[in-house]
Each structure stands twice: as C-alpha cells, then as structure tokens.
Amino acid sequence: MSTTWFESIAEAQRRAKKRLPGSVYSALIAGSEKGLTLADNLSAFDELRFAPRTAGLSGTRELGTHVLGRDVALPVLISPTGVQAVHPDGEVAVARAAAARGTSIGLSSFGSKPIEEVVAANPNTYFQVYWTGTRDDIQRRLDRARAAGAVGIILTLDWSFSHSRDWGSPHIPEKLNFRELLRFAPEGITHPRWLLDYVRTRRLPDLGVPNMVEPGEKVPTFFGAYGQWMQTPPPTWDDVAWLRSQWDGPFLLKGVIRVDEARRAVDAGVSAISVSNHGGNNLDGTPATIRALPAIADAVGGQVEVLLDGGIRRGSDVVKALALGARAVLIGRAYLWGLAAGGQTGVENVLDVLRNGIDSTLLALGKRSVHDLGPEDVVVPGSFEAELGGSTAARAEDALSHLACRPSRRRCSTAAATWE
C-alpha cells in the first residue's frame, strides 16, 4: 500500500493542516459566529446508533444509485465550493477524481476553474449558481453552463450575510500582488510543499472567478463577485420558479432546512433539494442537517429527491443519512482536505474511504443494497429530530393526500389521520 494513502477523513484533515498555510487551512474549517451549527453537524451523527445483524449477512453489496438524472457508483456527490486555492489544479483535479470513482461534481460559480475545463474532466458536472445580479446576468451564466455541457443546475440559497467568527477570520486578499506576496511569505516559507506545488506550475494561486462572466471578458475577483452578490436583493419563491423554468433538466435547490420551505420548493418545480445549512457557515444556531432530514423526507420525499450535506466524515455517516430518508449526500470539507493532502489522488482516496465505510456498514446491517436501508437500521434518540416549519396537522394532511404512511418511522392510521 502506498505511504501516501490515508484510511480516514480525519487523517486527510491532519495532512491538510500540516501542508497548508495557516490562513488557507483556517478558511476551510471555520463556521460562522460561535460555530454551534458547525459542531452540531458533526456531533449529531454521533448520537445515532445502529441495529446490526450477526447472521445471514449479504456476501455482496450494491452501492450505486440514480440521483439527479445520473447513475453514480456510490451515493456521495461532490458539493460545490468556492475558490479552491488548496491545490493548483483545483476543481479540475476534483472533477477527475470524481469521474475516476464514478460520481458527479458540483462546480461553484465562484470556482477558480472555467466550467468548460471541469466538464471536460467530468461530464457529470452540475453548475451551481448564486442569485447574483439581474435575471439577465443569471440567464447568461445558465446559457454558458448549457453550452459547456453541464447536466444540471444547483441553486444555493443557504448563505446569508452572517460571516463573523468568534475566533477571527483569516485574511484573504483581493488579489495576489507584490504587497500581498510579502505578507504571505512567512506562511509560504514554513509550508514549502504547498508553495512548491505552485512554483512548479509557474503561476500564483488564482483568486478570480471565471464562471461569473463570458469567456474572454475580464474575470472578476472573488470579492468582486461577492460584492455583487451582497448588493443583489435575495430571491423570492417566484424567482426560484422562474430560474427553474429556464433550465430543462435536473435542478437541485440547496439550503432547505424547513418542512414548509421544502413544500414551497416542490411547488416551484425543483427536481431535488439538499437539506443544508451551508456547512455551518450560515445562521449559527441552526440545527444539524441530519436532525432536520427525517421530517423533510417524510413531507416531500415522495415528490422530489432529497439529499443532505453537512458533517459527513465517514461512510457510516452516509448510511445514517440514507436510512433517514436521503437519496444521496454531498461532501465539501472532506474532499478539500483530500485535495490539499494529495491532489486528485487525495480526493480519490477520500471517496474510497467513504465507499469502504458504506460497504462495511451495509455488511454489518445485513443489507444487500443502499436502497434497502430504512429507519429501522438506526436507533434515534427521542429528542434527536428537529422539525422546523412543520406541524402535526400538516403531516396528517400530507399522509391523507398521498394515502401512504411510513410505519417504520411512525405508527399511523390513515383512516383517522393520527400520528403517534
């Protein structure tokens, strides 16, 4: 086995911390304000327990699934993240790794690589958009994504103006000029392997966001694009429905944490939602996404695909999310640590760690396929779930309208519309 291989996401994080300059690493791990949501995203998974079997276990397991219009080899997708200066190859390396492991990638509109290059590296690329600028501006970005061959759209709404951190935010320059290079020189010198990666490419870390403009136009900086986003009024549900009407294909709305908004997303015509709190970088004090997942899956899981992101660190975490109603999960920090630790190979390693963990957990649970998982496979504490924006009456009405219950999650009587 190669000495560069790591056997856990925790080890990938340790290697990333050792390799990256402190300011770059701190940008990856931080959450907003006190970090309550960031911590809960992780600790909530620890509260869930399994109900394993000891005999009659399946000799083979099927990890593949169909999500967002594509077959994937495992129920783990790459979530879009902003400028990936942790490695010179950035999103292209991530795209190649995802393709090598048979899964899809989301490319952020604030990413550092052009969508054309990313699609060439992985045909199963979804383009992520923020509601930034006018409808015409957004339409032009969609047209470029369509022409490049993007297979779907991700609209991210779980990012507000909350950006303060109790432990401070790292300094991120507008662009890397001579003055900024001098400022970062001590960090670069003390992390020579990261610096050498860029020296070999003969270029500096690129803080531009090329997918916000047409090819050939002047590329704005990350903070230039961020400033435009801050000045754009937040979208309405009518705006979401309009954007959905502009894309004929898979459309994922990322950022749903409430049952009532999950229903509004269905009404807007989206094909999938991701239960998300932006990895703890939105409103601090929001519950972990895995706590909100069961109620949302109950409410709309029969109408749209339900995904989850936030806190995935092990294959067993993926299994817990699937058991509680997710079709698949998206990962963010985990693959960025892999990218920092070993480029494309490091991201492939992260996906292998998750794949192996999913497989071994399925074996212990006596499941032949990820599609066989259900709430009976996990032990959920009584105070675990956080149902936001929902009500018992709404659940009863939903049960009657669909003439279906999920007895494995709640005992129910469709005739009396009662829930216990």
Side-chain angles (χ1 to χ4, degrees), residues 115-295:
I115 186 170
E116 292 80 6
E117 293 183 19
V118 176
V119 171
N122 188 336
N124 287 345
T125 295
Y126 301 84
F127 184 61
Q128 177 266 348
V129 296
Y130 290 107
W131 189 263
T132 305
T134 66
R135 283 189 174 186
D136 287 342
D137 294 331
I138 296 170
Q139 181 67 67
R140 282 191 290 271
R141 292 178 204 127
L142 291 185
D143 290 342
R144 179 178 176 183
R146 185 180 292 108
V151 296
I153 288 297
I154 301 173
L155 172 62
T156 297
L157 296 184
D158 59 338
W159 190 28
S160 68
F161 300 98
S162 175
H163 47 71
S164 59
R165 293 164 174 164
D166 286 10
W167 50 87
S169 298
H171 172 72
I172 302 175
E174 174 77 10
K175 58 183 178 179
L176 283 177
N177 53 28
F178 182 72
R179 180 178 179 180
E180 291 295 345
L181 286 175
L182 288 178
R183 179 182 185 132
F184 278 97
E187 289 191 53
I189 293 172
T190 55
H191 295 80
R193 290 191 298 166
W194 178 81
L195 183 61
L196 184 60
D197 285 341
Y198 279 96
V199 170
R200 287 170 176 162
T201 66
R202 298 182 181 180
R203 65 178 187 269
L204 297 173
D206 190 353
L207 302 181
V209 286
N211 296 304
M212 293 296 291
V213 293
E214 293 297 304
E217 295 182 1
K218 183 179 179 180
V219 174
T221 65
F222 174 86
F223 284 107
Y226 180 82
Q228 184 188 37
W229 169 76
M230 290 187 69
Q231 296 173 46
T232 302
T236 65
W237 283 108
D238 286 340
D239 290 326
V240 175
W242 169 80
L243 185 61
R244 177 59 178 118
S245 71
Q246 304 306 304
W247 186 269
D248 184 18
F251 187 106
L252 171 67
L253 178 61
K254 184 177 182 295
V256 176
I257 199 75
R258 296 170 56 100
V259 171
D260 52 354
E261 292 212 319
R263 291 191 171 100
R264 293 294 299 270
V266 172
D267 292 341
V270 306
S271 48
I273 60 174
S274 183
V275 181
S276 174
N277 52 38
H278 212 77
N281 276 294
N282 194 28
L283 179 61
D284 199 27
T286 303
T289 54
I290 191 67
R291 299 188 192 278
L293 172 65

Side-chain angles (χ1 to χ4, degrees), residues 6-16 312-315 317 331 333-338 346-347 349-354:
F6 45 82
E7 62 181 22
S8 69
I9 307 300
E11 176 59 22
Q13 182 179 357
R14 284 190 288 268
R15 295 189 188 188
I312 299 294
R313 299 292 184 270
R314 300 167 185 84
D317 295 338
I331 58 171
R333 290 182 177 91
Y335 79 79
L336 290 175
W337 292 327
V347 179
N349 196 156
V350 163
L351 292 170
D352 288 342
V353 167
L354 294 175

